[in-house]
Amino acid sequence: MNNAADWFLMIAAGGLIAVWLFRRFYVWLHEPPASRVYRLGEGSEPDPGDETVRFLTASGYEVVSGKHRVPIEIEVDGELMQSRLFIDYVAVKDGRTWLVKTARDRMPIDWTGAGVRDKFLVYALLVPSAEGIVYADPRERWLRTITFAIGTEA
């Protein structure tokens, strides 16, 4: 190849790379913030014989997946720590998706605004596509639905 053809190929390749980089940056810059939040993957298969699954089904929910483990990496003063959040089930009712947390005897809920916020807001922020959280106690046969409206004055 002669020198002019080499330069032409180099300029064309550089131009294509520059256009590709610009497009990637443009798409990243203009994508909605919700696309950067956690998306639930495939949870475990729900056990139809499980007491909570039976209770949710009897209450009109369709349990579509079981436990989801959400890994979290935390850095405090340069020290790296690992943690995780668990979503017990994902259920659907009337076409709306709900995250399900199951009542635990050793972790009672303080049913005040601050207590509910501190316990459940993280799930609403983590998966904003969900309608809210269903807190279920299959032994006592009750459930509560929790939704958050962020930014509204009370």
Side-chain angles (χ1 to χ4, degrees):
M1 280 183 129
N2 63 22
N3 202 15
D6 290 343
W7 275 106
F8 175 76
L9 286 175
M10 292 296 284
I11 290 171
L16 288 173
I17 291 171
V19 167
W20 180 78
L21 286 173
F22 175 77
R23 286 289 301 151
R24 293 293 304 150
F25 177 72
Y26 183 85
V27 167
W28 172 82
L29 190 62
H30 291 91
E31 71 185 355
S35 67
R36 296 185 201 130
V37 297
Y38 185 76
R39 289 186 179 90
L40 291 175
E42 293 293 320
S44 63
E45 190 68 31
D47 177 14
D50 182 73
E51 180 182 19
T52 305
V53 172
R54 287 193 322 263
F55 176 59
L56 287 167
T57 303
S59 299
Y61 292 88
E62 176 192 355
V63 179
V64 294
S65 72
K67 187 165 297 253
H68 289 263
R69 182 180 182 271
V70 182
I72 301 172
E73 196 170 272
I74 305 165
E75 185 176 330
V76 177
D77 294 333
E79 183 180 335
L80 200 60
M81 295 180 258
Q82 303 292 323
S83 187
R84 64 211 167 282
L85 281 174
F86 290 101
I87 298 169
D88 295 329
Y89 301 96
V90 176
V92 175
K93 183 176 184 180
D94 299 329
R96 295 184 284 182
T97 302
W98 295 85
L99 306 177
V100 179
K101 291 295 291 173
T102 306
R104 308 251 190 276
D105 291 336
R106 66 176 197 260
M107 298 175 67
I109 302 297
D110 177 17
W111 290 105
T112 63
V116 171
R117 176 203 62 215
D118 291 347
K119 182 70 176 174
F120 298 110
L121 181 61
V122 65
Y123 298 102
L125 295 175
L126 183 67
V127 187
S129 60
E131 186 71 23
I133 298 95
V134 173
Y135 188 72
D137 188 339
R139 281 184 237 121
E140 298 292 324
R141 307 297 294 171
W142 60 264
L143 57 82
R144 292 183 122 169
T145 56
I146 303 159
T147 60
F148 293 94
I150 299 171
T152 59
E153 289 294 321

